[in-house]
Amino acid sequence: DAEGPDHYFDRELVAGWKLPATRGEFLAACAERKVKPSTIGTGPYAVVEWAQRLTVAMAEHRAWPKDEAAESRCLVFAGLLAHYAQDLCQPLHVTIHYDGRVGPDGVSPRTGIHQRLDGLLGRLRIERAAALKDLRPAPLGELLPAVLAEIERSGALVDRVYELEKALAAAEESGELSAELEAFGVERLRAAARFTASLYLTVWENSAKLKLPEWLARERAECPLLPGVATTRPAGAAAPRPAAE
């Protein structure tokens, strides 16, 4: 699965590495060490790349704010960026111990703790407004170092997750969350929301600095595939022919 590794990053496997700036360089580094990239995961690169795509989409939206197709691209890319970013805020997405403590053979025992932790946020009792109160997102600067720093903060909680393993199992059986599970879940929810909002703020600010190439100059048009939806096409380009009946 080419896309699957974008959802995780087993940081223990790159201890001592100087992580390259791009996915291509990372793949080359893995090949040099004879390690499959899918063994480690490519989550940080997915976040950076979707942030870059969203930056371009937002720059286009700034240039053509009435282009509904450009706006749709922003929404889709923002959703994908949020998904990959928030994966990395789940501690079991950034460790070799992703579903039970790995044994000497390096194989996950598949205890089900990963799924239980994934389901925790959906069972929190906190109201949306309270969960988002005083988050204070801030621009992140250079993307990859900021993403890796967030991964380290998430990974530092792996031991805490395993301290809560019995409580997670009990909550699944009883349907009731203990106070410590609620507190842990709220903290991770807020961390994920803050990280995502900080990425959005970074992308929005970067999009204002992005100079779009002249060949991208566009004019308003109607989307040929979705009548009634406003879009743009290259300036001076002929309208596409309607599909044959």
Side-chain angles (χ1 to χ4, degrees):
D1 186 350
E3 194 268 343
D6 282 355
H7 296 269
Y8 60 88
F9 188 68
D10 293 352
R11 73 197 198 291
E12 298 96 335
L13 301 179
V14 296
W17 290 32
K18 179 175 174 51
L19 282 176
T22 68
R23 183 190 295 262
E25 292 169 326
F26 174 71
L27 298 180
C30 289
E32 184 179 336
R33 291 169 171 83
K34 296 181 170 54
V35 177
K36 288 183 177 180
S38 60
T39 300
I40 300 169
T42 49
Y45 299 102
V47 172
V48 170
E49 290 162 1
W50 279 108
Q52 292 168 337
R53 293 182 184 107
L54 182 57
T55 300
V56 175
M58 284 187 168
E60 291 181 302
H61 177 63
R62 285 179 182 273
W64 304 288
K66 295 183 179 180
D67 184 337
E68 295 177 25
E71 180 180 328
S72 294
R73 282 194 295 276
C74 289
L75 293 172
V76 171
F77 292 177
L80 287 161
L81 173 58
H83 182 108
Y84 291 111
Q86 291 170 25
D87 271 346
L88 300 181
C89 294
Q90 206 273 48
L92 299 187
H93 277 257
V94 296
T95 178
I96 57 175
H97 307 292
Y98 60 88
D99 197 18
R101 293 283 190 184
V102 169
D105 59 0
V107 176
S108 167
R110 301 284 185 176
T111 63
I113 187 174
H114 190 117
Q115 183 175 345
R116 293 185 189 105
L117 188 60
D118 275 346
L120 174 61
L121 297 190
R123 300 166 67 184
L124 297 176
R125 295 182 291 268
I126 190 169
E127 293 293 328
R128 175 188 173 91
L132 301 179
K133 186 178 180 181
D134 297 327
L135 279 184
R136 296 188 176 89
L140 297 174
E142 194 175 348
L143 281 171
L144 185 60
V147 173
L148 294 175
E150 192 67 36
I151 286 173
E152 287 305 313
R153 285 189 284 273
S154 182
L157 297 172
V158 171
D159 287 343
R160 179 58 179 152
V161 170
Y162 281 99
E163 290 172 0
L164 295 170
E165 186 168 15
K166 290 182 180 179
L168 283 165
E172 184 178 54
E173 185 173 336
S174 69
E176 296 293 327
L177 295 183
S178 65
E180 59 182 355
L181 276 181
E182 183 84 18
F184 183 85
V186 168
E187 187 280 326
R188 283 293 83 200
L189 175 65
R190 287 177 56 80
R194 185 185 303 110
F195 183 41
T196 304
S198 294
L199 283 164
Y200 288 164
L201 181 57
T202 303
V203 162
W204 179 245
E205 291 189 353
N206 287 345
S207 72
K209 308 169 195 171
L210 187 63
K211 180 176 173 56
L212 296 172
E214 291 183 7
W215 57 260
L216 196 58
R218 306 180 76 80
E219 62 187 14
R220 189 173 177 81
E222 182 175 289
C223 179
L225 299 179
L226 299 170
V229 174
T231 184
T232 59
R233 62 171 177 251
R241 294 180 180 178
E245 296 182 1

